[in-house]
C-alpha cells in the first residue's frame, strides 16, 4: 500500500465542498480559519424528529431516505449458510429465539419493538441505540430511564414524542428512529455525542470527547452505538467495558474483574452446560480502533458515508449507511487509487471468507464443549471440575461471540479477529480436555458421545422453522441441566 493518498485527497474534498456549497461552511469551520461565522438553523435545540430536518437539509434528508429498503426484511441468521449453530450456542437466552441480520437505521425503532427477544421484563436500556428520543427520555426520567419497563413505560413515552406525525416515507416509526439529532446539534449541525455511556467510558480512559478532533468525531458518533456493552447491575445503565482497553482480552478481563466486583456475574446460564455465560454485542468501533484503518486514522464515515454528488451537482456526505463495497469508487478508491476495483473487492472477499471459515471452526469447538460438560453433569463428574470446564466454556464462547457479533465479517480488523478466535478455540478445547479426563475416569464411551452430539446438531440444522430449532438442542441424551432434579 505504498501510494496511500489519504490526507491530500481529504483536504481537496474538503476544499471542494466549501466552494460548492455555502451551507457547508459552518460544518467545516475547523478546517477553514477564514470562515468564523456559524450557520444556525431554524430548528429547536431539542428537535428530535427526523422529518423536521427535511426543509433545511433536503439533500441529506433525501440521502437518509435511502435507508428505507423494505426488501431487507429481517433475515434470520439461523439459516444453514449463515449461523446454524446459534440456537445451540445461545440456549436458554433470548438470542436462541430470534437473531436477525442488521438493516437500516430508519428501521431500528420498529425492529426493537417487534423482535421476539424483547419480553415483559425488558428494560429502558434496550432503547438506547434505537431512537432519537433517548436523550429526551434521559432528561425526563434521569437514571430511572435505564431500568424502567420497556413495553409499559419506555415505548409509550418514546412514541408520545412523535404524536400527531403521520405515517409517510419514513413509515410509522422512522421519525424517531436513529437520525439527525443523534449525531448533530440541531442548531449548529456540528457533530455531537448524545449518549452518556460513550462519554463516560472515554472519560474513564482520560479522554474528553468534547475536545475531539473533527476526524475523531467522524468515528465517535458511530461509537455511541456500534460497540460492546453490558447493563451494570445497580441502575442497569448501558456501560462499555473499556477501562482496561478496547481489545477483546482487555474487555474480557474487565468482565472477569471490575464487572464482577460490581455484582455482574453473567448474562445468562446456559441450559446445556450450566455455564454462566457472557453475551457480546457488535464491537465495530473496538475492532476498527486497532485494525489497519483505525490505526491509520481512517474514520467510519470515510468508508460508510462517502461524498456523493446530487442532481444539482452539489457534493454532500452520503447518509445511506450500507456496505462500502456497493460504492468502491467513492469509498476505497479515494485512497487506494493504485488498486483496481476488482483488486479491492477480491482483497475484501479473501479476508471475509478466511474469517468466516475460522469462525465456523471456532464455534464448532464451543458447541461440542457444551455437550461434553452436559455429559459431565449427567454422569456425576466432580463439581469443581465441572465448574472449571464451565469457566473455559464461558471464556471460549465470549471470544468467539465478540468476533461473530462484529458486523464486518473480519474486514475491520482481520488479525484481531483471528487472534480472538484462536483464544476462543484454545479455551473451548481446554473445557473439552477437562471433560475427557473426567469422563474417561467414569468409563463414558467417548465415541458414542461424539455420535450423539453429531446427531443432535443435525436435528437442529434439519428443523426448518427457525423458531423451533432450539427445541432440538436438548433431548434424552442431553437434557436441559437446569431442569434436572438433584
Ligand atoms: C450516525 C450519525 C449521523 C446521522 C444519524 C446523521 N448525520 Fe449528518 N453527518 C454525519 C457525518 C459523520 C457527517 C460528516 C461531517 C463532517 O465530516 O464534517 C454529516 C454531515 C452532515 C451535514 C453537512 C453537509 C454534508 O453533507 O457533509 C449535514 C447538513 C447533515 N449531515 C445533515 C443531516 C440530517 C438532515 C440528518 C437526518 C436526516 C443527519 N445528518 C443524520 C453523521 C450523521
Ligand atoms: C443511535 C445508535 C446508532 C448510531 C449513532 C449509529 N448506528 Fe449504525 N446501526 C445502529 C443499529 C441499532 C443498527 C441495526 C438496525 C436494525 O437492524 O434495525 C445499525 C445498523 C448499521 C449498519 C447496517 C445497515 C444495513 O443496512 O444492514 C451500518 C452500515 C451502520 N449502522 C453504520 C453506522 C455508522 C458508520 C455510524 C456512524 C456514522 C452509525 N452506524 C451510527 C445504531 C446506530
Ligand atoms: C476502511 C473502510 C472501513 C472503515 C474505516 C470502517 N468500515 Fe465498516 N465495513 C467496511 C467493509 C468493507 C464492510 C463489509 C461490507 C460487506 O461485507 O459488504 C463493513 C461492514 C460494516 C458493518 C456491517 C454492515 C452490514 O451491512 O451489516 C457495520 C455496522 C460497520 N461496518 C460499521 C462501521 C463502524 C461503526 C466503523 C467505525 C468504527 C467502520 N465500520 C469503519 C469498511 C469500513
Ligand atoms: C481515507 C483513506 C482510506 C480509505 C477510504 C480506505 N483505506 Fe484502506 N488503507 C488506508 C490506509 C492509510 C491503510 C494503511 C496503509 C498501510 O499501513 O500501509 C490502509 C490499508 C488497507 C489494506 C491493507 C491492510 C493490511 O493489513 O495491510 C487493505 C486491504 C485496504 N486498506 C483495503 C481497503 C478497502 C477495501 C477499502 C474500502 C472498503 C479501504 N481500504 C478504504 C486508507 C484508506
Amino acid at each position: 500500500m505504498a501510494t496511500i493518498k489519504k490526507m491530500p485527497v481529504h483536504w481537496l474534498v474538503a476544499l471542494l465542498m466549501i466552494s460548492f456549497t455555502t451551507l457547508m461552511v459552518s460544518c467545516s469551520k475547523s478546517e477553514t480559519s477564514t470562515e468564523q461565522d456559524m450557520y444556525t438553523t431554524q430548528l429547536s435545540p431539542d428537535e428530535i424528529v427526523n422529518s423536521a430536518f427535511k426543509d433545511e437539509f433536503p439533500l441529506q434528508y433525501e440521502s437518509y431516505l435511502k435507508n428505507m429498503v423494505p426488501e431487507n426484511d429481517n433475515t434470520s441468521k439461523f439459516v444453514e449458510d449463515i449461523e446454524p449453530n446459534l440456537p445451540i450456542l445461545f440456549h436458554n437466552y433470548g438470542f436462541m429465539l430470534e437473531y436477525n441480520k442488521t438493516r437500516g437505521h430508519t428501521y431500528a425503532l420498529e425492529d426493537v419493538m417487534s423482535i421476539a427477544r424483547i419480553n415483559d421484563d425488558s428494560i429502558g436500556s434496550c432503547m438506547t441505540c434505537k431512537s432519537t428520543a433517548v436523550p429526551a427520555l434521559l432528561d425526563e426520567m434521569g437514571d430511572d430511564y435505564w431500568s424502567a419497563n420497556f413495553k409499559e413505560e419506555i415505548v409509550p413515552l418514546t412514541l408520545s414524542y412523535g404524536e400527531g406525525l403521520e405515517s409517510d416515507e419514513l413509515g410509522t416509526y422512522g421519525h424517531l428512529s436513529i437520525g439527525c439529532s443523534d449525531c448533530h446539534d440541531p442548531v449548529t449541525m456540528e457533530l455531537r455525542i448524545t449518549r452518556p455511556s460513550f462519554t463516560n467510558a472515554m472519560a474513564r480512559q482520560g479522554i474528553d470527547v468534547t475536545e475531539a478532533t473533527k476526524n475523531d468525531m467522524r468515528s465517535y458518533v458511530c461509537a455511541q452505538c456500534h460497540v460492546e456493552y453490558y447493563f451494570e447491575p445497580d441502575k442497569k445503565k448501558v456501560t462499555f467495558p473499556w477501562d482496561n482497553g478496547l481489545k477483546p482480552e482487555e474487555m474480557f478481563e474487565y468482565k472477569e474483574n471490575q464487572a464482577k466486583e460490581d455484582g455482574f456475574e453473567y448474562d445468562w446460564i446456559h441450559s446445556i452446560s450450566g455455564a454462566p455465560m457472557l453475551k457480546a454485542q457488535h464491537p465495530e468501533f473496538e475492532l476498527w480502533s486497532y485494525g489497519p484503518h483505525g490505526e491509520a486514522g481512517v474514520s467510519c464515515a470515510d468508508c460508510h458515508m462517502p461524498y456523493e454528488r446530487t442532481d444539482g451537482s452539489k457534493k454532500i456526505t452520503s447518509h445511506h449507511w450500507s456496505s462500502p463495497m456497493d460504492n468502491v469508487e467513492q469509498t476505497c478508491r479515494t485512497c487506494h487509487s493504485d488498486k483496481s476495483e476488482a483488486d479491492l473487492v477480491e482483497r475484501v472477499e479473501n479476508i471475509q471468507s478466511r474469517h468466516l471459515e475460522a469462525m465456523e471452526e471456532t464455534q464448532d469447538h464451543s458447541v461440542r464443549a457444551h455437550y461434553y460438560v452436559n455429559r459431565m453433569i449427567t454422569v456425576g463428574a466432580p463439581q469443581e471440575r465441572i465448574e472449571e470446564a464451565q469457566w473455559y466454556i464461558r471464556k471460549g464462547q465470549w471470544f468467539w461471540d465478540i468476533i461473530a457479533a462484529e458486523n464486518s465479517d473480519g474486514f475491520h480488523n482481520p488479525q484481531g479477529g483471528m487472534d480472538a478466535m484462536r483464544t476462543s478455540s484454545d479455551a473451548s478445547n481446554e473445557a473439552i480436555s477437562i471433560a475427557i479426563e473426567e469422563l474417561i475416569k467414569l468409563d463414558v464411551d467417548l465415541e458414542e458421545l461424539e455420535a450423539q452430539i453429531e446427531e443432535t446438531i443435525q436435528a437442529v440444522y434439519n428443523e426448518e422453522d427457525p423458531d423451533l430449532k432450539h427445541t432440538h438442542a436438548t433431548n434424552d441424551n442431553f437434557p436441559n441441566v437446569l431442569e434436572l432434579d438433584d
Side-chain angles (χ1 to χ4, degrees):
M1 297 277 151
T3 53
I4 298 296
K5 297 190 298 188
K6 182 182 167 244
M7 290 320 288
V9 170
H10 243 73
W11 280 95
L12 203 69
V13 174
L15 287 171
L16 277 175
M17 283 179 65
I18 290 159
S19 56
F20 271 123
T21 67
T22 43
L23 262 193
M24 252 99 277
V25 168
S26 63
C27 302
S28 314
K29 79 171 169 39
S30 56
E31 301 200 293
T32 51
S33 49
T34 50
E35 292 288 348
Q36 296 300 335
D37 291 344
M38 283 278 266
Y39 173 82
T40 52
T41 68
Q42 304 299 310
L43 297 161
S44 150
D46 300 325
E47 187 56 69
I48 57 172
V49 173
N50 291 316
S51 39
F53 291 76
K54 179 177 176 173
D55 288 346
E56 289 200 59
F57 304 104
L59 300 177
Q60 285 80 10
Y61 188 79
E62 200 179 307
S63 174
Y64 176 78
L65 285 182
K66 292 186 193 147
N67 295 294
M68 301 297 289
V69 186
E71 309 83 90
N72 289 2
D73 55 352
N74 292 306
T75 317
S76 175
K77 285 196 182 191
F78 293 169
V79 290
E80 182 112 25
D81 62 346
I82 306 183
E83 302 211 32
N85 286 318
L86 298 188
I88 301 173
L89 293 165
F90 295 121
H91 212 259
N92 194 38
Y93 197 48
F95 285 90
M96 79 175 175
L97 298 176
E98 191 173 2
Y99 200 162
N100 299 328
K101 298 185 72 173
T102 59
R103 56 177 184 159
H105 285 160
T106 47
Y107 292 106
L109 179 55
E110 174 186 333
D111 288 350
V112 74
M113 285 163 50
S114 62
I115 193 153
R117 286 202 303 273
I118 290 283
N119 59 35
D120 291 344
D121 298 328
S122 294
I123 56 174
S125 283
C126 303
M127 188 62 89
T128 308
C129 62
K130 313 295 183 192
S131 172
T132 54
V134 170
L137 292 166
L138 275 167
D139 272 353
E140 192 167 334
M141 304 177 72
D143 277 349
D144 293 342
Y145 156 79
W146 309 102
S147 60
N149 187 278
F150 185 83
K151 282 189 180 168
E152 301 205 333
E153 284 184 71
I154 297 298
V155 167
L157 201 52
T158 301
L159 298 183
S160 74
Y161 292 112
E163 224 158 52
L165 291 172
E166 309 211 347
S167 179
D168 60 15
E169 70 265 21
L170 284 171
T172 314
Y173 302 112
H175 300 293
L176 295 169
S177 195
I178 304 165
C180 321
S181 62
D182 285 326
C183 303
H184 293 285
D185 179 322
V187 175
T188 64
M189 293 307 277
E190 295 279 334
L191 293 179
R192 67 167 181 184
I193 302 299
T194 50
R195 300 302 193 272
S197 309
F198 177 67
T199 310
N200 295 340
M202 294 296 271
R204 292 201 304 278
Q205 294 189 85
I207 299 170
D208 177 356
V209 297
T210 63
E211 300 284 309
T213 64
K214 204 168 121 85
N215 189 54
D216 284 342
M217 286 302 281
R218 289 164 55 86
S219 300
Y220 285 1
V221 287
C222 316
Q224 305 185 83
C225 303
H226 287 271
V227 291
E228 161 69 352
Y229 65 83
Y230 76 109
F231 300 156
E232 57 76 31
D234 180 26
K235 300 207 163 62
K236 304 285 179 205
K237 268 189 203 181
V238 172
T239 305
F240 304 172
W242 293 352
D243 296 18
N244 308 325
L246 271 60
K247 294 185 174 165
E249 56 273 27
E250 293 163 335
M251 294 194 280
F252 185 70
E253 192 193 315
Y254 178 98
K255 297 223 169 166
E256 291 298 296
N257 296 294
Q258 288 103 320
K260 278 187 177 170
E261 278 157 29
D262 288 343
F264 174 86
E265 298 279 339
Y266 51 77
D267 285 301
W268 90 106
I269 303 275
H270 203 284
S271 39
I272 297 171
S273 62
M277 305 296 288
L278 299 169
K279 178 75 191 80
Q281 327 297 330
H282 27 69
E284 279 84 59
F285 178 72
E286 292 90 331
L287 266 291
W288 162 87
S289 73
Y290 70 105
H293 288 101
E295 290 203 317
V298 179
S299 73
C300 312
D302 286 332
C303 290
H304 289 282
M305 299 182 72
Y307 297 115
E308 66 183 23
R309 199 178 285 279
T310 60
D311 287 346
S313 93
K314 276 189 178 176
K315 270 198 173 181
I316 63 157
T317 301
S318 167
H319 282 66
H320 177 204
W321 297 273
S322 62
S323 170
M325 305 318 287
D326 296 341
N327 189 2
V328 173
E329 203 48 45
Q330 290 304 315
T331 56
C332 323
R333 290 203 72 245
T334 58
C335 300
H336 299 287
S337 54
D338 58 326
K339 296 258 182 310
S340 71
E341 169 159 354
D343 278 350
L344 287 159
V345 169
E346 197 188 314
R347 281 297 289 271
V348 173
E349 282 174 358
N350 282 344
I351 291 170
Q352 292 184 327
S353 61
R354 263 193 304 146
H355 178 89
L356 291 174
E357 212 172 284
M359 211 162 75
E360 219 161 274
E361 221 178 282
T362 310
Q363 65 181 317
D364 194 54
H365 300 308
S366 272
V367 165
R368 289 174 61 243
H370 283 294
Y371 288 115
Y372 268 83
V373 173
N374 180 281
R375 188 57 47 94
M376 284 177 93
I377 295 169
T378 54
V379 299
Q383 187 58 26
E384 80 270 9
R385 293 291 277 166
I386 292 174
E387 284 170 20
E388 207 183 319
Q390 285 170 333
W391 184 80
Y392 280 109
I393 287 187
R394 165 188 172 100
K395 178 176 180 186
Q397 186 160 325
W398 191 82
F399 275 88
W400 158 77
D401 196 15
I402 194 77
I403 299 307
E406 208 280 347
N407 283 300
S408 71
D409 293 340
F411 177 77
H412 292 148
N413 189 341
Q415 189 59 47
M418 288 296 172
D419 290 347
M421 288 191 280
R422 190 162 352 92
T423 305
S424 167
S425 290
D426 287 351
S428 302
N429 284 326
E430 187 60 34
I432 293 172
S433 300
I434 293 168
I436 289 176
E437 218 173 276
E438 295 303 323
L439 294 175
I440 286 174
K441 287 184 205 158
L442 294 165
D443 281 333
V444 171
D445 181 341
L446 294 179
E447 247 170 68
E448 186 185 59
L449 171 59
E450 278 290 343
Q452 291 169 347
I453 292 174
E454 194 47 41
E455 197 184 316
T456 306
I457 292 173
Q458 285 307 323
V460 174
Y461 284 11
N462 293 339
E463 170 60 60
E464 295 198 351
D465 183 349
D467 296 344
L468 293 178
K469 281 182 176 283
H470 68 93
T471 61
H472 300 280
T474 50
N475 52 36
D476 291 344
N477 291 325
F478 302 110
N480 179 331
V481 296
L482 306 178
E483 290 168 1
L484 296 175
D485 329 300
D486 306 287

